[in-house]
PDB file of all heavy atoms in Angstrom:
ATOM      1  N   ASP N 173      48.655 102.853   9.861  1.00  0.00           N
ATOM      2  CA  ASP N 173      47.441 103.265   9.161  1.00  0.00           C
ATOM      3  C   ASP N 173      47.146 102.209   8.098  1.00  0.00           C
ATOM      4  O   ASP N 173      47.821 102.136   7.072  1.00  0.00           O
ATOM      5  CB  ASP N 173      47.633 104.647   8.522  1.00  0.00           C
ATOM      6  CG  ASP N 173      46.368 105.135   7.831  1.00  0.00           C
ATOM      7  OD1 ASP N 173      45.318 104.476   7.972  1.00  0.00           O
ATOM      8  OD2 ASP N 173      46.426 106.178   7.145  1.00  0.00           O
ATOM      9  N   LEU N 174      46.133 101.396   8.352  1.00  0.00           N
ATOM     10  CA  LEU N 174      45.811 100.294   7.452  1.00  0.00           C
ATOM     11  C   LEU N 174      44.797 100.677   6.387  1.00  0.00           C
ATOM     12  O   LEU N 174      44.526  99.860   5.496  1.00  0.00           O
ATOM     13  CB  LEU N 174      45.266  99.107   8.253  1.00  0.00           C
ATOM     14  CG  LEU N 174      46.243  98.443   9.225  1.00  0.00           C
ATOM     15  CD1 LEU N 174      45.556  97.293   9.954  1.00  0.00           C
ATOM     16  CD2 LEU N 174      47.487  97.954   8.500  1.00  0.00           C
ATOM     17  N   LYS N 175      44.248 101.834   6.444  1.00  0.00           N
ATOM     18  CA  LYS N 175      43.234 102.222   5.462  1.00  0.00           C
ATOM     19  C   LYS N 175      43.848 102.274   4.060  1.00  0.00           C
ATOM     20  O   LYS N 175      44.968 102.741   3.871  1.00  0.00           O
ATOM     21  CB  LYS N 175      42.641 103.587   5.816  1.00  0.00           C
ATOM     22  CG  LYS N 175      41.636 103.532   6.948  1.00  0.00           C
ATOM     23  CD  LYS N 175      40.884 104.847   7.068  1.00  0.00           C
ATOM     24  CE  LYS N 175      39.763 104.742   8.063  1.00  0.00           C
ATOM     25  NZ  LYS N 175      38.995 106.003   8.163  1.00  0.00           N
ATOM     26  N   GLY N 176      43.092 101.795   3.100  1.00  0.00           N
ATOM     27  CA  GLY N 176      43.583 101.751   1.734  1.00  0.00           C
ATOM     28  C   GLY N 176      44.316 100.470   1.400  1.00  0.00           C
ATOM     29  O   GLY N 176      44.808 100.320   0.277  1.00  0.00           O
ATOM     30  N   THR N 177      44.396  99.526   2.354  1.00  0.00           N
ATOM     31  CA  THR N 177      45.046  98.241   2.117  1.00  0.00           C
ATOM     32  C   THR N 177      44.031  97.116   2.322  1.00  0.00           C
ATOM     33  O   THR N 177      42.999  97.296   2.987  1.00  0.00           O
ATOM     34  CB  THR N 177      46.235  98.027   3.067  1.00  0.00           C
ATOM     35  OG1 THR N 177      45.754  97.933   4.419  1.00  0.00           O
ATOM     36  CG2 THR N 177      47.214  99.198   2.978  1.00  0.00           C
ATOM     37  N   VAL N 178      44.341  95.962   1.771  1.00  0.00           N
ATOM     38  CA  VAL N 178      43.436  94.821   1.941  1.00  0.00           C
ATOM     39  C   VAL N 178      43.415  94.348   3.381  1.00  0.00           C
ATOM     40  O   VAL N 178      42.429  93.745   3.832  1.00  0.00           O
ATOM     41  CB  VAL N 178      43.841  93.664   0.998  1.00  0.00           C
ATOM     42  CG1 VAL N 178      43.661  94.068  -0.453  1.00  0.00           C
ATOM     43  CG2 VAL N 178      45.283  93.223   1.261  1.00  0.00           C
ATOM     44  N   TRP N 179      44.479  94.631   4.146  1.00  0.00           N
ATOM     45  CA  TRP N 179      44.522  94.200   5.541  1.00  0.00           C
ATOM     46  C   TRP N 179      43.471  94.911   6.376  1.00  0.00           C
ATOM     47  O   TRP N 179      43.037  94.385   7.408  1.00  0.00           O
ATOM     48  CB  TRP N 179      45.908  94.436   6.122  1.00  0.00           C
ATOM     49  CG  TRP N 179      46.957  93.614   5.467  1.00  0.00           C
ATOM     50  CD1 TRP N 179      47.937  94.041   4.619  1.00  0.00           C
ATOM     51  CD2 TRP N 179      47.128  92.195   5.573  1.00  0.00           C
ATOM     52  NE1 TRP N 179      48.711  93.001   4.190  1.00  0.00           N
ATOM     53  CE2 TRP N 179      48.238  91.845   4.760  1.00  0.00           C
ATOM     54  CE3 TRP N 179      46.464  91.196   6.268  1.00  0.00           C
ATOM     55  CZ2 TRP N 179      48.683  90.536   4.640  1.00  0.00           C
ATOM     56  CZ3 TRP N 179      46.900  89.888   6.149  1.00  0.00           C
ATOM     57  CH2 TRP N 179      47.999  89.567   5.348  1.00  0.00           C
ATOM     58  N   ALA N 180      43.065  96.091   5.973  1.00  0.00           N
ATOM     59  CA  ALA N 180      42.033  96.810   6.716  1.00  0.00           C
ATOM     60  C   ALA N 180      40.699  96.079   6.671  1.00  0.00           C
ATOM     61  O   ALA N 180      39.851  96.274   7.552  1.00  0.00           O
ATOM     62  CB  ALA N 180      41.879  98.228   6.158  1.00  0.00           C
ATOM     63  N   VAL N 181      40.493  95.264   5.650  1.00  0.00           N
ATOM     64  CA  VAL N 181      39.259  94.476   5.541  1.00  0.00           C
ATOM     65  C   VAL N 181      39.478  93.057   6.042  1.00  0.00           C
ATOM     66  O   VAL N 181      38.580  92.466   6.662  1.00  0.00           O
ATOM     67  CB  VAL N 181      38.754  94.463   4.086  1.00  0.00           C
ATOM     68  CG1 VAL N 181      37.414  93.757   3.985  1.00  0.00           C
ATOM     69  CG2 VAL N 181      38.637  95.885   3.547  1.00  0.00           C
ATOM     70  N   ILE N 182      40.653  92.496   5.802  1.00  0.00           N
ATOM     71  CA  ILE N 182      40.911  91.098   6.157  1.00  0.00           C
ATOM     72  C   ILE N 182      41.009  90.917   7.675  1.00  0.00           C
ATOM     73  O   ILE N 182      40.407  90.002   8.244  1.00  0.00           O
ATOM     74  CB  ILE N 182      42.190  90.602   5.464  1.00  0.00           C
ATOM     75  CG1 ILE N 182      41.964  90.487   3.957  1.00  0.00           C
ATOM     76  CG2 ILE N 182      42.636  89.258   6.034  1.00  0.00           C
ATOM     77  CD1 ILE N 182      43.201  90.076   3.190  1.00  0.00           C
ATOM     78  N   LEU N 183      41.765  91.781   8.348  1.00  0.00           N
ATOM     79  CA  LEU N 183      42.005  91.583   9.779  1.00  0.00           C
ATOM     80  C   LEU N 183      40.731  91.638  10.625  1.00  0.00           C
ATOM     81  O   LEU N 183      40.552  90.791  11.513  1.00  0.00           O
ATOM     82  CB  LEU N 183      43.033  92.613  10.278  1.00  0.00           C
ATOM     83  CG  LEU N 183      44.464  92.426   9.755  1.00  0.00           C
ATOM     84  CD1 LEU N 183      45.377  93.503  10.302  1.00  0.00           C
ATOM     85  CD2 LEU N 183      44.985  91.043  10.126  1.00  0.00           C
ATOM     86  N   PRO N 184      39.807  92.596  10.403  1.00  0.00           N
ATOM     87  CA  PRO N 184      38.575  92.571  11.218  1.00  0.00           C
ATOM     88  C   PRO N 184      37.714  91.336  10.996  1.00  0.00           C
ATOM     89  O   PRO N 184      36.874  91.001  11.850  1.00  0.00           O
ATOM     90  CB  PRO N 184      37.838  93.843  10.764  1.00  0.00           C
ATOM     91  CG  PRO N 184      38.895  94.736  10.256  1.00  0.00           C
ATOM     92  CD  PRO N 184      39.891  93.824   9.601  1.00  0.00           C
ATOM     93  N   LEU N 185      37.901  90.662   9.873  1.00  0.00           N
ATOM     94  CA  LEU N 185      37.115  89.459   9.584  1.00  0.00           C
ATOM     95  C   LEU N 185      37.813  88.184  10.032  1.00  0.00           C
ATOM     96  O   LEU N 185      37.307  87.087   9.792  1.00  0.00           O
ATOM     97  CB  LEU N 185      36.832  89.376   8.080  1.00  0.00           C
ATOM     98  CG  LEU N 185      36.029  90.531   7.474  1.00  0.00           C
ATOM     99  CD1 LEU N 185      35.995  90.413   5.956  1.00  0.00           C
ATOM    100  CD2 LEU N 185      34.618  90.556   8.046  1.00  0.00           C
ATOM    101  N   GLY N 186      38.979  88.331  10.677  1.00  0.00           N
ATOM    102  CA  GLY N 186      39.772  87.164  11.052  1.00  0.00           C
ATOM    103  C   GLY N 186      39.109  86.291  12.097  1.00  0.00           C
ATOM    104  O   GLY N 186      39.352  85.084  12.142  1.00  0.00           O
ATOM    105  N   ALA N 187      38.286  86.874  12.957  1.00  0.00           N
ATOM    106  CA  ALA N 187      37.602  86.100  13.994  1.00  0.00           C
ATOM    107  C   ALA N 187      36.098  86.265  13.829  1.00  0.00           C
ATOM    108  O   ALA N 187      35.589  87.382  13.895  1.00  0.00           O
ATOM    109  CB  ALA N 187      38.044  86.569  15.380  1.00  0.00           C
ATOM    110  N   TRP N 188      35.406  85.163  13.612  1.00  0.00           N
ATOM    111  CA  TRP N 188      33.947  85.171  13.469  1.00  0.00           C
ATOM    112  C   TRP N 188      33.381  84.234  14.519  1.00  0.00           C
ATOM    113  O   TRP N 188      33.703  83.042  14.549  1.00  0.00           O
ATOM    114  CB  TRP N 188      33.569  84.730  12.059  1.00  0.00           C
ATOM    115  CG  TRP N 188      32.114  84.923  11.750  1.00  0.00           C
ATOM    116  CD1 TRP N 188      31.265  85.846  12.295  1.00  0.00           C
ATOM    117  CD2 TRP N 188      31.339  84.176  10.812  1.00  0.00           C
ATOM    118  NE1 TRP N 188      30.012  85.736  11.764  1.00  0.00           N
ATOM    119  CE2 TRP N 188      30.021  84.713  10.854  1.00  0.00           C
ATOM    120  CE3 TRP N 188      31.610  83.132   9.950  1.00  0.00           C
ATOM    121  CZ2 TRP N 188      28.994  84.215  10.058  1.00  0.00           C
ATOM    122  CZ3 TRP N 188      30.594  82.638   9.165  1.00  0.00           C
ATOM    123  CH2 TRP N 188      29.298  83.187   9.212  1.00  0.00           C
ATOM    124  N   GLY N 189      32.530  84.771  15.362  1.00  0.00           N
ATOM    125  CA  GLY N 189      32.010  83.991  16.473  1.00  0.00           C
ATOM    126  C   GLY N 189      31.257  82.749  16.046  1.00  0.00           C
ATOM    127  O   GLY N 189      31.307  81.709  16.718  1.00  0.00           O
ATOM    128  N   PHE N 190      30.556  82.824  14.921  1.00  0.00           N
ATOM    129  CA  PHE N 190      29.768  81.674  14.474  1.00  0.00           C
ATOM    130  C   PHE N 190      30.649  80.475  14.167  1.00  0.00           C
ATOM    131  O   PHE N 190      30.358  79.349  14.599  1.00  0.00           O
ATOM    132  CB  PHE N 190      28.951  82.051  13.241  1.00  0.00           C
ATOM    133  CG  PHE N 190      28.203  80.895  12.634  1.00  0.00           C
ATOM    134  CD1 PHE N 190      27.009  80.460  13.183  1.00  0.00           C
ATOM    135  CD2 PHE N 190      28.708  80.229  11.526  1.00  0.00           C
ATOM    136  CE1 PHE N 190      26.325  79.376  12.638  1.00  0.00           C
ATOM    137  CE2 PHE N 190      28.035  79.157  10.969  1.00  0.00           C
ATOM    138  CZ  PHE N 190      26.834  78.732  11.534  1.00  0.00           C
ATOM    139  N   SER N 191      31.719  80.679  13.406  1.00  0.00           N
ATOM    140  CA  SER N 191      32.588  79.550  13.049  1.00  0.00           C
ATOM    141  C   SER N 191      33.310  79.005  14.273  1.00  0.00           C
ATOM    142  O   SER N 191      33.530  77.793  14.372  1.00  0.00           O
ATOM    143  CB  SER N 191      33.596  79.989  11.981  1.00  0.00           C
ATOM    144  OG  SER N 191      34.378  81.081  12.444  1.00  0.00           O
ATOM    145  N   VAL N 192      33.673  79.880  15.218  1.00  0.00           N
ATOM    146  CA  VAL N 192      34.312  79.402  16.447  1.00  0.00           C
ATOM    147  C   VAL N 192      33.355  78.518  17.237  1.00  0.00           C
ATOM    148  O   VAL N 192      33.721  77.430  17.705  1.00  0.00           O
ATOM    149  CB  VAL N 192      34.787  80.593  17.304  1.00  0.00           C
ATOM    150  CG1 VAL N 192      35.302  80.103  18.666  1.00  0.00           C
ATOM    151  CG2 VAL N 192      35.886  81.355  16.590  1.00  0.00           C
TER     152      VAL N 192
END
Side-chain angles (χ1 to χ4, degrees):
D173 182 8
L174 295 179
K175 283 191 172 182
T177 65
V178 295
W179 295 108
V181 185
I182 291 177
L183 291 179
L185 299 172
W188 190 27
F190 175 80
S191 58
V192 173

